[in-house]
Each structure stands twice: as structure tokens, then as C-alpha cells.
Amino acid sequence: MKKRNILLGAAYAAFAIVGLIYTCSWTYTSTTGLNPSFWPNIMFTMLLLSAIAIIVFSVLGPDAEVSEDSRFHWKKSLPTIIWVGLYTYAFQRFGFLIPTMVFLCGEMFLFGEKRWKVLLLISILLPIILYFLFTKVFGIYLP
Amino acid sequence: MKKAFALILSVLMVLSLAACSQSAPSGGSSGGQSTPSQSTPSQSGGTDAAEPAKVDFPTKTITLICPYAAGGQSDMICRTVADKMGELLGQTITVVNTPGAGGSVGASQAAAEKNDGYTMFMCSAGNISVVPYCSEVSYTIDSFDMIGQATDTPFCLVVSNDFPAENVDEFVAYVKEHPGVNFGTPGANSSQEMFMHQMEQLTGIEMTHVPYGGGSEVNAALLGGHLEVACLCTTDVYANLKDGLYKVLAVSSEDTDPIVPDAPTFISQGYDLTCTCYYSILVPAGVEEAVIKILRDAYAETMATDYVADAFKSMGIPVSYLSAEETSEKMHKVTEEFKAIIDGLNNA
Amino acid sequence: MSLSSILTGLTTVIAPQCLLWLILGVMIGIIFGAIPGLTAATGVAVFTPITFGMDFAPAFGFLLGLYCGGYYGGSIPAILIHTPGAPGNVATALDGYPMARQGQAGRALSYSVTSSWLGGTFSSFCLLIFANIVARFALQFGSQEYFSVALIGLSCIVGVSGDSMLKGIISGCMGMLLACIGVDPMDGVLRYTFGVPAIMKGIATVPALVGLFALSEAFGKSETTTSAEKGITGKITGVMPHFKEYWENKILLLKSAVIGTIVGAIPGTGPTIAAWLSYSEAKRCSKKPEEFGNGSVEGIMACECSNNAVTGGAIIPMVTLGIPGDPVTAILLSALMIQGLTPGPTLITKNPDLISTILWILLIGNFVMLLFGLGGAKLFPKLLSIPPKILFPIVMVMCVVGSYAVNNSSFDMWISFGLGIFGYIMIKFGFPVAPMVLGIILGPIMEPNFRRALISSKMDYTTFFTRPLSCVFIILAFALTFIMYRRTHSKKD
């Protein structure tokens, strides 16, 4: 736990420093009020201070075990994340219906649904129902 | 479980009822009114003269990009126009709201769309005539071809009831004595702000700009006594003005505006300030001649219907249709004016 | 307000046509609220055009029904799948979801709808009796006051940060920074857009919410779910509300309802702030603050009660001043004008029946919502009996579609996706995501109002303290932070 906190504290501190430097490079000056960089700078400063505090407290404080809940299981979650990313891209590129069908089918498979009848039924019917609901009933545009 | 099914079934039934009733009113009300308007295109002068080439347009759904959030006034304008114009063209026109950054998000997107006539865009003075000159965006006025103007609303110089001025002369005199008086507008880089700067440059007064987040926020600040001077569109003003909650010193139209009939114009008080916030329908530049003609004719016909007249009237905005050439001329004129103001500000 | 006009209002509203539209409105509202990404505001915006040709009573019955139903509907997915349907229901998710995990989804839903009903009803009466007083109070809010009220909202971070307040502060700062992206509200300058036009409009709240709560949860679930895992079944109990429980919490409910009504009436705020304020107030004076975040009944009650109390409150400035109190009433305002009614101080005096019609619509609408909600409390938990391997893929689709549909923007989908991954990692590191949402929502209120207040006062920093109302709020904010901090940390020693 100690290591993780220090790691993340350092990451945030680095981010805040980069942010501060970038924001300070803005040239725009307001004639009447505060500059647009004022507020982000306050936030970055607070971020930096809190991150440093986290590092300090973690170094000084006692170490705790990393609980089972907060371990990463990338092997399982990464395929899902990538699959959702692909879906988002496909949605943008090819519209709603077909990508959704493919996505649902694949994602349920990833989650462990192996009965192909269920897979096909849901991944074909649900997108059609949703499409109808959004475009016809709600009047919300979908590509 | 049976109960559950019954409930789901009834939900579906009610939903389909909603779907039917949604299409019913628009179809019903417009069906009755389309007859008198049929004659408009032939009257509007030689539109049915020799077409350059017959094109089959439109063959699919047309998109109208509204750069503001659904439910607002601009959205209402879009939906009214889309309903009627789609009916006349025999194709659905879908309104797509892409709000953000004072309309420039929608404008950027529209400018980047294919110029096949299947994408239209409703612009306002702010996002076409102001933003390209004070912000880094990927479009200018030349990225678009005009279809026609929908409406335009003049600006009002609004002051609170206890502000010691009854006309523009007194106002200018007061601000000269007390430089740095705050004035509110609906937002940074809005056409209202430009108009106030125009006034400053013309009269040589100095004020402090306080941008708010929309017309209703300015109204709230005025009524709460947090703000004494503001510049607002007539549509934002007229309800409170009617109830005498604040004063309008002048309005920026050429003649007295029917929405605020009691307010004198700037011109009548000897100040050469005329400016309106226009709302026009555009397409990305370079649409085929024959296609754009179909759109322009359909739009002209749309704007002449009672359906549009009624809808606009209930929103408290005038129907001020202008043809494509007139629209273009006006937009370029306003753009030049605002550009000059922005240059003036940058050099100051 | 005479008795006769109240009766006229009743007869107008219980006409079958009007009643039907009202029921339909509530139903559609609940559905819109419940789908992540679609909110009451979307619903009212989409359906306003169809009221063009309708009479006042059915038109407003429909729209106000949608409004009430929508604000409640968001709590359903918040409780069931940890996905607040709308920003106002985030606090509900904090306590409702743990309850659902303990197999008490039905009870949680029942608390949520009953409190919503109480809050909505309370604020409708406020609309009738105190409209003018509340409206005048709301007008007292200048930029300074907006800033200080948002500061109170910010003090909630302490309450939702869990173990480490520092981590909460970091999350809050990240939220505020995300809110800075886009066009600067005061000078119109672009910030952190790096020349990409799509970033200009900034991070929208709803997609961010969907990403941080729903997608991150789904990503987390993908680790633990096994193909054999069954849905949560079991008996749904505790659906019928017990009068006693609510009576025991009468002070809590009353406070939340008052907060909701007043926050609703202040233009430019909305249900999110109301819910957070009530939530932290409930936690502050609770006898069992340690239960908050682990399925506290009081948390759900406070949050949902004030969330729906916003409805009546927000209508007050709309009808009395023509100024919308929250995003939905901004749209209702144009619906009002389509009906040929010009909002303003004389609206009520000229149309005395109008306000009583609105009152009855709200009362009946809230009651219909209660019936649907209680019925639903028996039904909706069945959703959880769908095995996770099927449920979560569907939830993901809804997330992506929902975040697209808010603004028709594919950029918003990427925001959801990005924040989903970010949230997933942060939760693993023990960083709470709720403060981040708080930052995203409060940032756009705090920053422009802070700068606006300074511009109007010619850069005088004391302006926040010389205005009495603002000064009181600032003191309250600091006091709240202090008390909450002590309460959270003294428990452990």
C-alpha cells in the first residue's frame, strides 16, 4: 500500500508540475479581471501540495497490505477495456446498429456466456429495440 | 412473473402510443396549413424558370445542425423550420443538437461536413461574425453558403429602474462622469458584447464588461440588483419590461421594434448604432448549384407558411426571411463591423 | 389564492385527457431518468415540441410529469447497478448500491421513491404558499453568493472521501481541472484544447458521470465475474413504506426538502447541489455517520427528498420572474411561452388558475410517481437476477449510447471511455470518484462567479465577506468542513 501511495502521489505531483508550467506559459492577460490561468493554477497548486502530503505521510506512516479488491487483474479487464474502445470507435465510424450487435456478442462471450443461442438472440434483438426506442419513440438521433 | 409481463406489455403499449401521438400533432397541424402556402414558390418570381440540370434531391434524410442545446429558443426555431421544410421536400429533416462554446462547436462540425446538401447548419451572429476573429477555430464566414435568414432580434440597452438616466444622452453623460460602470452580457465573445464595444468606441465612454452565462442569468442579476446596465436581445427583455422591472433606454433596430414598441431606437436619439443578432440557415460551402437552389426555394416557401408564422409568434420572435443574397450581404456587413471592433479592442 | 381557483385547478387536472398525459409523462420521465446518459432535461427538451398544439393543462401535465419522474428515475440504476442515471442521483448511489448488494434493493428503492414523493409534495406546497418570498430570497444571490454556496457544496468532499481526505481533495482538484477545459467562461479564451475543435466544448457532466461511475464499475466487474455467477435473486422485501420510519426522520426529511426547494429556486444551480448539501447535512447530524457510504437509509432519504424538492422550487422563479431555476425549467419556460403565457411577476395575478393547475399537476404527478415507484420497487430488482455476464455488457452499451445521445457527440463517448479507465484505476488505488464529479459540477459555478464577483467589485477580495449572505455561507462552509472532519476521524481513535 505504501509503495502504491508513493507512486501515485509522485504521478500526481509530476502532473501538477507539468500543468503549472504549461498554464503559466499562457500569454493572454485580462484587462479587467483575473487571468484565465488563475483558477487552473490554484487547482494545480492544491493538487501538488496534496500529492506531496500523500508522499510524506506514506513515507512516515505505517504500511498496510494491499487488499484483494484493489489488486489489478489486467488479464481479465484489459480485453474488456480494449473491446469497449473498439466499440466506441466503430460506433463513431459505422453507426449504431451493427457495431452494437458485434460488441454485445463479443462482450458477453468475454464475460463467459457460451450458449450461442442466448448470445445471438440478445445481441440481435436488443440493438434493434434500442434503436427503435431512441429514434422513433424518444426522437433522439442515432447514427 | 405474470404480473411483470403484464406491466412490461403495458409500458410498451403506452410507449407506442407516445410514438404515435408524437407524430400526430405535427402532421395534423401542418397538413391543414400546407394548402395555402402551395402558391408561394411560383409567386416568388421565376423560380420555376429553366433549371440548370435536373437533380434527384433529396433522396435521404437531411440533417440540420443546431449548435445550441435542445429546448432552447434556437432549437425551437430549428425544429419548426425542419418540420415544415422536411414536409415540403418530402424527406425528414433531423435536428441534431451539438451545443458548446457559444455555438462554435456546431459551426466547426458543420464546416467540416460533406457539402452534398444533406447537412445544413443554423448559425447566429455570435458564432459566425465574432468567434472566428477572437478565437482559434477552423472556420470563417467563407466556409458556408447561405440558404436564408430565419430571424433577427435587435439588442436593447437595459438599465435598472433607479439608474439615473432616461435616454442614451443621459446615459453617456453619466458613464463619462463615472467611468468603469459594469455592464452585463449573456457571455464572452457574444454579439451583445461586440455591440456594447461598438457603442463605447462611438461615444468614447469606458465601461467594464461582466460576462454571464446566458440571458436569463443577466435577467436574474438585473432583477436582484447585482447589475445596473446590460445588453440583451429583445426576446430576453420583453416580459420583464412589460412588467416595468427595468428600463430599456434604446433598441438597436432601424425602426421601432414591434416586440418592444415603447423603446426608442438609437438612431432616433442621434446615435448611428444599428445591429441585430441574426439567425440564418447555412450549408457547407461548395454545394452543387442545382441542389442549393432546391434548398433555397423550399426554405423560402417554408418561411412563408402560417405554421412558421404561428410558431415564431408564440416564441416572441419575428419571422424575418431574407433571400440567400440578402442574407449573405447582411452577414458579411455585420462580420466586417464586428471585425473592426475586435481590431479596435486589440489595438487599444 | 382563493379556494375556488384551487378547485378550478383540480377539475382541470383530473380531466381524463390531462390525467392520461400526466401519467404518460411520469412514466417516460422515469425511463429517461433511469437510462444513464439521458436525463430529465433531455426528456423535456425532446418532448416539448409535441406540446405545440396542446392545451395548457395536458401540455404541462405531460412535461411536469416528465420532470418529476425524471428526477426520481435516476435513482433506480444508481441503486441497482451503481450507475446514477443523472448527476443529481450520485449521492444516492453511495448508499443505495451497498444496500442493493446486501440484497435489500427493494427496500432501498422504496425509500428512494417515498422520499422523492415527500420532497416533491413539500416543494409543491412551497410553490403555492411561499412563492414570492422564496423568489425574492433567490434574487439575493449575486456572484459572491453563488461562489460561497458552491464552497459549502465543496465541503461535502470531506464527507465522501472515506479514509483519506487528501485523496478526496486530489480527486476534487482533478474534477475542477477537467471542468476548466474548453472555452474560458469569462474571457472566451481556449484552455487546454491543444487546437482540437472537439475539445472546445469541454467535458460535459453526463458523459463524465457515466464514465466515472458506470464504465469504471463495469470494468471492475469484468475482473471478478465468472461465467457461473448468478444474478442476485431472493425475496424482495420491505417495499411497503412504514410510516414510523419516516416519522423518526421527520427533521431530516424536512431539512432536506427545505434545502431542495431553496437550492431549486436559485437560478443556475440544480438537483446535484441540493442532493449533496442535504447528504452532507444528514451525515453531519446523524447518530450513525459511520453507516454513510455503506447503505445508510438516512443518506438515501436526504438525497432523494431534496433532489425532488428541487422541482417545485425551480418552478418558483420561472413563474414569478421568468427566470429558470434549473436546466429543465429553462426548457419549460419556452414551453410556457408557446402556450402564449408571458412569464413575469404579473403572470400569477393575471392567471390565478394557472398556479393552482401547476400545483395540482405536481401533487398528482408526484403521487403517480410514488405508485409507479413502489410498484417498480417490486419489479426493478428483478433486473439484478439477470446474470452479470449478460447484464454488464448491456449496461456498457447503454453507457456508450447514452453518452453519445446527450449532445450527439462522439467526443463525449471518448470522454466516457477515458474517464472510465481513469476511474477504474483510481478506485483500485483507493481514490474516491465522487469528489471528482463534485468538482466537475461545482467548478463551472465557482470559477466564473469568483471572477465575475471580482470584476464587478473592481478586484476587491473583501467583497466575499462584506456581503452578509456570502459571509454567512463561507463561515458555514468552513464550520461544516471542520465538523465533518472531526466526526469522520474521531470515530477511528
Side-chain angles (χ1 to χ4, degrees), chain A:
Chain A
M1 205 61 202
K2 198 167 179 170
K3 242 191 205 155
R4 299 181 116 202
N5 278 340
I6 294 174
L7 189 80
L8 210 67
Y12 269 122
F15 173 70
I17 291 170
V18 172
L20 270 175
I21 293 173
Y22 176 70
T23 311
C24 286
S25 70
W26 292 349
T27 49
Y28 182 92
T29 43
S30 176
T31 42
T32 46
L34 296 169
N35 286 334
S37 57
F38 177 79
W39 189 259
N41 273 340
I42 289 190
M43 288 302 132
F44 276 125
T45 314
M46 274 174 71
L47 196 64
L48 183 62
L49 293 179
S50 312
I52 293 172
I54 280 197
I55 298 174
V56 171
F57 283 130
S58 315
V59 171
L60 299 178
D63 199 359
E65 267 308 292
V66 178
S67 66
E68 182 49 38
D69 269 356
S70 48
R71 271 184 215 287
F72 285 96
H73 302 272
W74 288 112
K75 257 189 202 152
K76 280 183 150 181
S77 59
L78 209 57
T80 296
I81 292 177
I82 293 172
W83 193 234
V84 173
L86 280 176
Y87 170 50
T88 312
Y89 175 75
F91 189 114
Q92 185 182 349
R93 188 88 174 64
F94 305 110
F96 172 74
L97 270 178
I98 311 283
T100 308
M101 290 178 182
V102 178
F103 168 79
L104 263 179
C105 201
E107 186 61 44
M108 282 191 288
F109 188 78
L110 277 180
F111 262 86
E113 177 63 70
K114 297 280 159 34
R115 291 166 297 176
W116 63 271
K117 264 188 199 161
V118 179
L119 277 179
L120 281 184
L121 199 71
I122 294 181
S123 51
I124 289 174
L125 276 185
L126 194 90
I128 295 175
I129 296 173
L130 276 181
Y131 191 76
F132 173 79
L133 210 67
F134 270 74
T135 53
K136 296 288 178 270
V137 183
F138 295 162
I140 294 172
Y141 166 83
L142 283 181

Side-chain angles (χ1 to χ4, degrees), chain C residues 99-140:
Chain C
M99 267 184 93
R101 293 243 283 205
Q102 295 154 18
Q104 296 184 320
R107 247 183 88 210
L109 284 169
S110 157
Y111 285 131
S112 140
V113 71
T114 315
S115 317
S116 293
W117 171 65
L118 288 170
T121 310
F122 175 85
S123 72
S124 328
F125 280 112
C126 283
L127 171 66
L128 179 72
I129 304 163
F130 303 116
N132 281 319
I133 304 170
V134 175
R136 223 171 294 146
F137 179 69
L139 275 186
Q140 296 299 311

Side-chain angles (χ1 to χ4, degrees), chain C residues 64 67 71 123-124 126-127 134 138 260-271 307-330 332-333 362:
Chain C
L64 290 177
Y67 185 26
Y71 275 11
S123 72
S124 328
C126 283
L127 171 66
V134 175
T261 310
I262 292 178
V263 171
I266 300 168
T269 51
N307 184 350
N308 264 61
V310 166
T311 52
I315 293 175
I316 293 176
M318 178 183 94
V319 291
T320 54
L321 303 163
I323 293 166
D326 73 348
V328 182
T329 36
L332 285 176
L333 200 61
L362 284 176

Side-chain angles (χ1 to χ4, degrees), chain B residues 14 97 180 182 211 226 243 314, chain C residues 24 139 337 345-346 407 452 458:
Chain B
V14 176
N97 302 87
N182 296 327
H226 310 292
D243 292 329
S314 67
Chain C
L24 188 68
L139 275 186
M337 289 169 71
T346 52
N407 289 330
R452 196 176 294 141
K458 309 278 181 276

Side-chain angles (χ1 to χ4, degrees), chain A residues 8 23 36 76-77 92 138, chain C residues 46 191-192 223 414 424 431:
Chain A
L8 210 67
T23 311
K76 280 183 150 181
S77 59
Q92 185 182 349
F138 295 162
Chain C
V46 166
R191 296 193 293 193
Y192 308 110
E223 296 181 338
W414 291 111
Y424 164 70
F431 279 79

Side-chain angles (χ1 to χ4, degrees), chain B:
Chain B
M1 210 54 206
K2 249 185 196 167
K3 255 191 200 165
F5 267 112
L7 219 135
I8 292 170
L9 209 70
S10 56
V11 167
L12 281 177
M13 270 165 65
V14 176
L15 279 178
S16 54
L17 191 127
C20 299
S21 54
Q22 187 185 6
S23 48
S26 57
S29 56
S30 45
Q33 286 157 2
S34 60
T35 6
S37 65
Q38 290 298 326
S39 51
T40 353
S42 46
Q43 284 171 352
S44 65
T47 39
D48 32 7
E51 303 236 337
K54 283 272 178 223
V55 280
D56 192 14
F57 178 88
T59 55
K60 58 175 186 183
T61 306
I62 300 173
T63 309
L64 173 59
I65 296 179
C66 171
Y68 299 97
Q73 194 180 45
S74 328
D75 180 54
M76 297 284 177
I77 298 176
C78 283
R79 284 178 200 274
T80 313
V81 170
D83 264 9
K84 194 70 204 175
M85 196 167 158
E87 193 188 301
L88 294 174
L89 285 171
Q91 280 290 345
T92 320
I93 299 183
T94 323
V95 176
V96 175
N97 302 87
T98 50
S104 33
V105 172
S108 308
Q109 194 184 327
E113 285 286 338
K114 245 200 269 171
N115 51 0
D116 54 2
Y118 287 100
T119 307
M120 298 194 292
F121 169 62
M122 198 198 65
C123 74
S124 76
N127 52 47
I128 295 295
S129 296
V130 184
V131 174
Y133 307 102
C134 47
S135 197
E136 309 139 43
V137 290
S138 52
Y139 64 89
T140 64
I141 188 169
D142 298 321
S143 314
F144 300 98
D145 283 339
M146 288 66 186
I147 298 292
Q149 180 174 280
T151 185
D152 60 346
T153 51
F155 306 123
C156 296
L157 176 61
V158 186
V159 297
S160 58
N161 272 334
D162 43 7
F163 192 83
E166 294 300 330
N167 54 45
V168 184
D169 282 336
E170 286 175 29
F171 177 81
V172 170
Y174 178 84
V175 179
K176 276 199 172 136
E177 264 174 54
H178 307 83
V181 171
N182 296 327
F183 72 92
T185 67
N189 296 344
S190 59
S191 43
Q192 284 89 338
E193 181 193 347
M194 292 306 131
F195 177 72
M196 287 305 266
H197 289 318
Q198 194 176 15
M199 187 173 138
E200 283 180 316
Q201 288 171 3
L202 185 83
T203 55
I205 54 178
E206 259 178 57
M207 294 188 278
T208 308
H209 176 222
V210 187
Y212 281 78
S216 61
E217 278 192 21
V218 181
N219 263 327
L222 275 167
L223 299 187
H226 310 292
L227 194 62
E228 286 190 305
V229 184
C231 178
L232 288 171
C233 276
T234 43
T235 42
D236 289 324
V237 162
Y238 83 110
N240 288 319
L241 181 68
K242 220 168 53 185
D243 292 329
L245 296 179
Y246 43 58
K247 302 182 281 194
V248 169
L249 295 185
V251 55
S252 69
S253 51
E254 304 209 347
D255 304 307
T256 315
D257 192 85
I259 295 170
V260 283
D262 298 332
T265 60
F266 278 100
I267 295 184
S268 70
Q269 302 186 45
Y271 293 87
D272 184 22
L273 287 165
T274 52
C275 188
T276 54
C277 181
Y278 58 77
Y279 290 88
S280 307
I281 308 284
L282 313 176
V283 286
V287 173
E288 203 184 326
E289 201 53 46
V291 168
I292 204 167
K293 189 169 155 30
I294 294 174
L295 287 174
R296 282 175 180 162
D297 289 348
Y299 183 68
E301 196 180 333
T302 307
M303 295 306 287
T305 56
D306 293 343
Y307 177 71
V308 170
D310 289 347
F312 276 33
K313 194 173 170 228
S314 67
M315 289 183 266
I317 51 174
V319 179
S320 25
Y321 168 74
L322 289 179
S323 73
E325 293 81 47
E326 292 165 326
T327 310
S328 165
E329 194 183 316
K330 177 171 177 180
M331 284 173 62
H332 278 101
K333 182 176 156 267
V334 174
T335 308
E336 285 307 315
E337 274 177 27
F338 283 168
K339 215 170 129 188
I341 298 166
I342 296 163
D343 288 343
L345 284 177
N346 289 343
N347 295 334

